[in-house]
Each structure stands twice: as C-alpha cells, then as structure tokens.
Amino acid sequence: MTTTDIHALVGAYALDAVDDLERAAFDRHVRECESCRTELDELRETAGRLADSTWSVPPPRLRSAVLGAIAQTRQVAPVSPAPMRSAQPAPRRWLVAAAAAVVLAGGASTAVYQVQEQRVGDSIATAARASAQTERTRDILAAPDLVVRTAPVTGGGKVTVAQSPSKDAGVILLGASAPPADGKVFQLWTIRGTTPTSAGVLPAGEASAVQIVNGLPGADMVGVTVEPAGGSATPTMPLVSQLPLV
Amino acid sequence: MTERARDHLSAVPGPPPTDPAQLLREVAQGDEQAFGRLYDLVAPRVYGLIRRVLRDPAQTEEVTQEVLVEVWRNAARFDGARGSATSWIFTIAHRRAVDRVRSEQSAADRVMKVGVAQVEIPHDEVVDEVTGRLERQQVRRCLDDLTDLQRQAVTLAYYQGHSYREVAELLSTSLPTVKTRMRDGLIRLRDCLGVEVTA
Ligand SMILES: [Zn+2]
C-alpha cells in the first residue's frame, strides 16, 4: 500500500472499518506520521460521540459480574504518574436519539436491497414502523398532562407506564433484569375491569420493551406475565408485575 | 402531575457527578471503588453501543464484561493527551464489538437484523425527556447535516460493524470513495459537534 493510500485510511480506521492487516499497517503508520495521529485522535473522539445515542440500561447482574471479575484481574503497571490535564469538557448529558441509527440504517438498507425480495421489504417496513413509533412515543411523552408510574417486576427490574389523557395513549416500558427462563417470554396486558387485553408479547430472550398503547388512560391496570413463546390469549397467573392506573 | 410521578422524577440524577478521566486515573492505581463509580458512569453507553452493534443480548453482556475488565486492566495506558476517557473506553468497546460481530455474523445478517430492530428508549432517558432536562439531540442533528453517502458510510460502519469494503459493496460505490466519505464525513461531524483534542 502506498503512503497516499494509508493517509486516506484514517476515517475507516477510526470507525474500525478496516481489516486486521490494514489495522496493523495503520498502527505502524501513525507512530511516524504526526498529522495522521492528530487527525486520528480527533476522528476517534468524534466517532466516540456516536455512542452518546446508544444509551441502554445493562442488567444489574452485569455490575456484580464485572466488579467480581476485576477483583481477580491484575492490572498493567502505571507508566508514570500521569500529568494532570486541564479541565475536561463539560460532561455530556445523555442524548435521547435512541432510534436515530435505526432510522438511518433503515434508509441505507433501502438503498442496498431495493431489488431484493419480500422479506427485505418487510424488514424495511418494520424499521419504518419503528421510526414512526419513536415519533409517537416522543409525542406522548411530551404531553403536558403526562403521568408516570412505576412498579417492580418479580425477579428484578421495573415496569414504567407513562400515559397522557389528552393524547388518549400511553407508553409501557418494561425493563426486567433478565428474560424469563426456559424459552418463556414476557407478555404485557392492559386490564379494564376484569377483562385483560394483550398489549404485546416480547421475543424470547428479551427483557425490555417499549410499547405504545392507544386508549391506555381508560384501562385500570397494566400487568406483565410470563407466557410460552408467542404469548397467550389470556394471562397466566401470577402477574410478575402489576401497576394500577387509577 | 400526581404526587407519585413527582416523587419519581425527583429521583432523576443530574449530570454525572465525577470526571471520568479522574476516575480512570484512580482506577489505574488499583482503586476498585473508583472503578465502581466509573462503571456507573459509562456502563449504559458501553452496553448500549455493544448491543447496537451485536443485537444479541447474551453476547452483548459477555462482550460488555470483557470490555470493562479490559478498561480495568489497561487503565494505566489511558493517555489524556490523546482524547477523553470516555472516547478511550468507547474505542475499546467498539473494536471488541466489531471483532465479535465480524467473526459471528455475515454482513447480510447484519443488514437484516437492523430492519427488525426494536426501538429502545431506556427508562432513564424517558424520565429525562419527561423532565425536559435533555440536551438537544446534537449527534442526530449533526448526522443529518452529512450527505447521504457520508452518513450511510459512517453509520453502516459504526453501528453495524461493516468494513469499508462491505460498505462499498452495500452502497455500490468504489473503495476509494467510501474511504474518503468515511473520512470527510467524520471531519464534518467533528466540526458540527465541536470536538477538540487539545494535546
Ligand atoms: Zn499519515
């Protein structure tokens, strides 16, 4: 690879979009090329900002697993007392652009697979629905009369319900610590009087979900159950979480 | 708003209480408590980033753990003159996620999975949004400022772990063009976000 080529690789390298050989070659190159090193530092810092929009709550058990693991892990020796650097930039606050990349990547797949068959069309439709849902979610959450309630989930985690009478809709957010065992799944319910209505079934292995429910303010309760894969017509007791809305 | 909702909202934490770079320096000295605080500051983004790339919850957990243990082990190698502590951590996380996704999922799989991705808005972000204390969606806005090709090249690589060769194929573009778009796309993002590394 010529030198010109390798300078041009800085963007791809900062995005981890190079193969192992190119990575090694560029690693060698930046040791000698100061302009690439400076540019790489900046572009890597920039790429890191793309992670601002990926905020997601890890399962609580991960914290204890990691803290347990580090207690048994030797560290590399400090090189020398690191010189203190002047003020860091103000801490960035978490952004809520959670679905931005899904939407953008949905656009990309439109470009890529437009000649391909039905199943791809379906997935694009799903992505489009996902982005419409996100807009709707934001719309509901922005309502001035929003009421937010939370309840614990048996086994860890919580369910949050945010509803707005003026929008006649609500959003159920499930954040359980772990998905149900044995291939079972979580199912969400709204309960009006004594009549339960399914508000959605999670895929196997999933412990979190965001679900918009139209007409939610008319319901008396939101419940969560553990069901066989694919969900059930009526809730299997006991409820692992229940959240009265009135 | 009900009493209950207000109670809930008042529990929302403000900006992170501590500077990650300072914590990382304490971690480099073997301070496990500092590591716990650093975990609380960065784990949601590390986990979220890895999950965005890998999609698979079980693998995400495994790789997140590997990454955070690597942060602990190599904390002394962090060089504040070359960037922020969070960027250093995300660089490790992204590389590990990409290595894993390339070894286990074909490029086509990755394209398909994005289509069926669920919309995830973490609880605490929702609460943040409700309280209206959220920063403007700067990254999103800056991504919107890129040309389509720049944006696609950057996001296909960063969020799905595609190599620039795969991106070129996916976008039916030449290799030099993709390399250039990744570079000038990031430069434009850098300027829009006001990213600076002051050595
Ligand atoms: Zn160079």
Side-chain angles (χ1 to χ4, degrees):
Chain A
M1 195 179 303
T2 67
T3 312
T4 332
D5 278 334
I6 202 142
H7 292 307
L9 214 52
V10 62
Y13 180 95
L15 292 166
D16 289 319
V18 293
D19 65 29
D20 292 345
L21 288 177
E22 290 162 331
R23 193 185 275 177
F26 196 82
D27 280 336
R28 273 196 305 281
H29 175 72
V30 286
R31 268 179 241 136
E32 291 141 23
C33 177
E34 200 185 326
S35 76
C36 275
R37 194 162 55 237
T38 307
E39 186 172 343
L40 174 62
D41 288 348
E42 290 181 354
L43 297 191
R44 199 144 57 179
E45 190 76 20
T46 304
R49 293 291 302 276
L50 294 170
D52 280 352
S53 67
T54 62
W55 217 93
S56 184
V57 181
R61 63 171 175 269
L62 186 62
R63 191 179 198 277
S64 30
V66 170
L67 295 186
I70 63 131
Q72 324 232 350
T73 304
R74 275 181 77 97
Q75 293 178 287
V76 302
V79 193
S80 58
M84 299 291 285
R85 292 205 338 113
S86 54
Q88 279 287 119
R92 296 166 193 135
R93 242 159 313 146
W94 323 123
L95 302 180
V96 82
V102 170
V103 176
L104 294 166
S109 50
T110 311
V112 175
Y113 278 102
Q114 50 191 338
V115 293
Q116 277 210 5
E117 72 281 35
Q118 182 65 34
R119 65 199 183 103
V120 176
D122 288 349
S123 77
I124 291 165
T126 308
R129 270 200 303 280
S131 75
Q133 272 212 348
T134 308
E135 287 309 311
R136 176 88 171 118
T137 303
R138 293 191 199 300
D139 180 52
I140 295 167
L141 295 178
D145 60 347
L146 192 76
V147 177
V148 182
R149 297 182 170 91
T150 67
V153 175
T154 309
K158 64 181 175 177
V159 63
T160 302
V161 173
Q163 59 171 340
S164 155
S166 69
K167 304 277 180 192
D168 192 29
V171 181
I172 303 174
L173 300 104
L174 176 65
S177 301
D182 305 327
K184 293 210 160 86
V185 298
F186 284 121
Q187 185 163 4
L188 310 176
W189 303 89
T190 59
I191 297 152
R192 195 180 300 245
T194 55
T195 313
T197 307
S198 175
V201 181
L202 275 68
E206 282 293 338
S208 63
V210 176
Q211 183 69 26
I212 298 170
V213 182
N214 292 313
L216 185 64
D220 299 314
M221 190 163 93
V222 165
V224 180
T225 58
V226 171
E227 304 289 346
S232 302
T234 56
T236 304
M237 295 299 157
L239 296 167
V240 294
S241 184
Q242 50 184 310
L243 211 165
L245 300 181
V246 288
Chain B
M1 197 168 282
T2 67
E3 202 51 44
R4 197 166 177 174
R6 205 161 36 232
D7 284 350
H8 180 58
L9 295 180
S10 65
V12 175
T18 325
D19 169 20
Q22 181 54 38
L23 285 173
L24 202 48
R25 281 189 287 267
E26 290 166 19
V27 169
Q29 307 296 325
D31 185 337
E32 291 183 23
Q33 274 197 343
F35 184 85
R37 289 201 300 279
L38 185 64
Y39 179 99
D40 295 334
L41 276 182
V42 303
R45 277 177 294 171
V46 169
Y47 178 81
L49 173 59
I50 293 171
R51 184 161 179 169
R52 173 69 61 78
V53 175
L54 287 178
R55 305 270 156 203
D56 177 273
Q59 285 188 21
T60 299
E61 233 177 289
E62 199 181 309
V63 175
T64 304
Q65 176 160 348
E66 286 171 17
V67 166
L68 292 165
V69 171
E70 187 175 336
V71 166
W72 162 260
R73 191 169 47 235
N74 289 331
R77 301 213 168 122
F78 165 64
D79 176 2
R82 297 203 57 191
S84 67
T86 48
S87 163
W88 183 77
I89 293 167
F90 298 152
T91 299
I92 296 172
H94 191 257
R95 187 169 289 185
R96 287 267 190 154
V98 165
D99 286 348
R100 174 67 73 98
V101 83
R102 290 214 190 122
S103 67
E104 303 210 343
Q105 298 174 18
S106 72
D109 278 353
R110 273 173 270 154
V111 172
M112 292 304 302
K113 283 190 181 174
V114 169
V116 296
Q118 293 197 340
V119 180
E120 290 176 56
I121 305 177
H123 297 74
D124 298 303
E125 285 188 358
V126 170
V127 175
D128 254 352
E129 178 138 0
V130 170
T131 55
R133 291 198 287 125
L134 213 77
E135 212 174 49
R136 292 183 66 197
Q137 297 178 24
Q138 202 187 6
V139 171
R140 169 89 192 257
R141 191 169 47 75
C142 289
L143 278 170
D144 284 345
D145 279 350
L146 303 186
T147 68
D148 287 347
L149 202 54
Q150 284 174 333
R151 183 173 55 246
Q152 288 172 349
V154 167
T155 56
L156 283 169
Y158 196 78
Y159 292 123
Q160 288 184 57
H162 288 292
S163 69
Y164 75 87
R165 284 193 181 77
E166 289 167 348
V167 172
E169 204 168 308
L170 290 167
L171 300 178
S172 310
T173 317
S174 74
L175 292 174
T177 303
V178 165
K179 279 191 269 188
T180 309
R181 291 298 87 87
M182 286 178 172
R183 184 183 187 182
D184 56 31
L186 280 177
I187 288 172
R188 200 148 153 187
L189 264 183
R190 175 196 70 193
D191 296 344
C192 178
L193 292 166
V195 170
E196 278 177 8
V197 177
T198 44

